[in-house]
Each structure stands twice: as C-alpha cells, then as structure tokens.
Amino acid sequence: MDSLIKIAQEFYIGEINDKVLYTELANLISDKELKENILKIAKTEEKHANFWQKFIISRGGHLPKEKIDRKKLFLLKFLSKFLNPIIFIYLAELGEDSAVKKYYDFYKNAGLTEYERSSLKNIITDEIEHETYFLNQAENLGLSNVRDLILGMNDGLVEILGAVAGLTAVYTTNPQIIGISGIVVGLAGALSMGIGAYLSVKSQKQINTHINERNEILLNTNIEKSYELFEEKLKEDNIPQEAIKEIINVLREKKANLSSIFIKEIEENEIKSGLLTGFSYLLGTVFPITPFFIFSNSYYALTASFFLALLVLSIVGVFVALFSGISIKRKVLEMIIASLSAAAISFSFGKILQHFFNVEI
C-alpha cells in the first residue's frame, strides 16, 4: 500500500508541474487558437492532479508538498527566445520517462478499484492525445529540420574528430597541416553526405511517383481490384476476418475511392534535404578542427579538440536522447565513449603508420 501511495505522490507532483509548465507556455504564445488549446491541456493536467490527490487521501496517504521544476520553467523561458516553445515542450516531454508508460504499468500492476481503473484509462488517453498534439505542432514548426541538423552535425563531429586524432600521430609538430587536412576531409564529407541525401530523396520520389501513377491507373480502371488489394493489406495487419469482410462490403456499397490509401503524398524536397545534410555535417567539423589553428603544439590542439568535442557531444547527446525518448545520461555517455574510442583507435593507427614509415612532420 505504501508503495502505491508513493508512486501516486510522484504522479501528483508530475501533473502539477505539467499544469504550471503548460500555463507558462500559453503565456509565451501569441496565436489565440494555439494559446487556448494549450490552456485546455493545462486544465486537463490539473484534473489529473485532482484524481491523484483523491487517490492518495482515500488510501490514507498525505498530500506531498508541491515541487515546481524551476529549472524546466527557466529553460522554457530562456530557450523560447531562440526555439519555438512548442518544440521545447515536446523535446522535454520525450526526455523524461513517458508518463503514458508509467501510468500503464501502474494500471496493470496495482490493486485498483473499478472507478480508479476507469479514471486511469481516461488519463492515459489524455496523455497520448497530448503527446500526439505536441508532436504534430512541433513537426509543423520544423522539428524534423532540427532533428536532421543535430544528427548531421553529430556525424561530422565524430568523423573529423577521428581524422584529426589519426593525423596528430603523424604531424606531431605541425597542427596547421592537421587543421587544413581536416577542412579538406570535412568538405569532402559534407559534399558526399549532401549529394547522397539529394540522390536518396530524389530516387525515392521517383519510385513513389511511379507507384502513384500505377495505383492511379488501377483505381480509375478497376476499382474492384483496389478493394482486393486493401483486403490483403488488412490481412497483413492481422485484422480479424469477419471485420475485414464487413469493412470491404461497406466500401463496395459506397463505391469508396481508396486513393488516399494507395497514393502516397510526395512532400520531401531533395534540394533542401541535400543542403541541410551537407551544412549540418560541415557545422559539426568546425569543433574538432578549430583548436588546430589556435595552438602551436599538435598534442595541445588535440587535447583541446577532445574537450570541445566532449562538450558538443554532450549537448548533441541530450538532443538525440530527447528525439529518441531514451535516458539522457545513457545516451550522452554512449556517444562520448563511442566517439573517443574511434578517436583513440585512429590515433593508434596513425602511430603504427608513423612507426612503419618512419614519418614525423
């Protein structure tokens, strides 16, 4: 019983924090309709907090003192000057353990009454709707562009960090050569990544266009065949046979057009994708290369490059974790270890080559 109350107290504090956060978010938004929607979400979170309050008291627990997450509020207000607050809220929600998963675990394992189960079902539904709403709003505001920029920058940083580490083992007394070599490698990598992204998107668009043309011809010449294809699709999705028959019969009676199912929308721009990928990769190369134009000793420059890379990787790791909805600490540590391991291997390989070829510049 005590464990249930303790978990419920955490849920209560979480809902109170969400209510305050969404209220503050609404105050930062000028769009009237969006502002009203966010305030509605804040009211819903308050309703959830009231449920947990009643749950705690009804089971003999004490209501915990409200702990407002001032750090998150500060970040919201600060980052809203540079990043749309909707995107920040979505990323912040992903960065924590999903409330939906926590509630579902509580729903499955706790000895709840029927009323409590019913109320918790509604809360879970609300939370899923909120996550979906913020995702849709964030995507409309360019979340995918932010995500691509961060991931592309990470690729450039990691690859060039490994390259300059390997070159440092050879060019021990000439850091500028390492810096210049890093620029050349980085530029080549950015062009390769950008052109690769351009060709990939363009090829996929061509494939989708061909599929759409074929499906459009099919829908216009043999509507019955489209129902058969849709029936096969439903079977692949493990829909019960009886339900499939009922769905197909209704579609046939209404002579429904299934173009929205079989004709895919083509929205991605190959030029934009190529430029964004190349630019983000090039941006990532700046951090490990810069120290080699500042220090006169290659090893000092490499040390500075490592520390700068650690800082940027930590920031990138936070964003990657937020986008992925996983533990921030684990992701940051994973990225740092992987990147520094690659740099260490590259440096060792450079030392081996230096030894065999007896080269030191």
Side-chain angles (χ1 to χ4, degrees), residues 35-75:
K35 187 185 191 80
E36 289 177 355
N37 288 334
I38 301 299
L39 287 173
K40 285 179 183 177
I41 292 175
K43 286 289 185 184
T44 303
E45 301 295 351
E46 185 177 22
K47 185 177 72 173
H48 295 173
N50 292 337
F51 165 79
W52 292 116
Q53 178 180 345
K54 292 176 184 177
F55 181 93
I56 294 165
I57 294 173
S58 68
R59 292 177 179 248
H62 69 276
L63 205 61
K65 184 178 179 181
E66 295 179 8
K67 298 177 183 178
I68 305 303
D69 192 340
R70 300 294 176 189
K71 291 181 180 179
K72 187 180 283 189
L73 287 176
F74 173 78
L75 276 175

Side-chain angles (χ1 to χ4, degrees), residues 27 50 54 63 100 153 191 239 246 306 308 310 326 345:
N27 293 332
N50 292 337
K54 292 176 184 177
L63 205 61
V100 173
M153 189 175 73
L191 288 171
I239 306 297
E246 186 175 342
F306 275 153
L308 189 58
L310 283 175
I326 60 178
I345 292 171

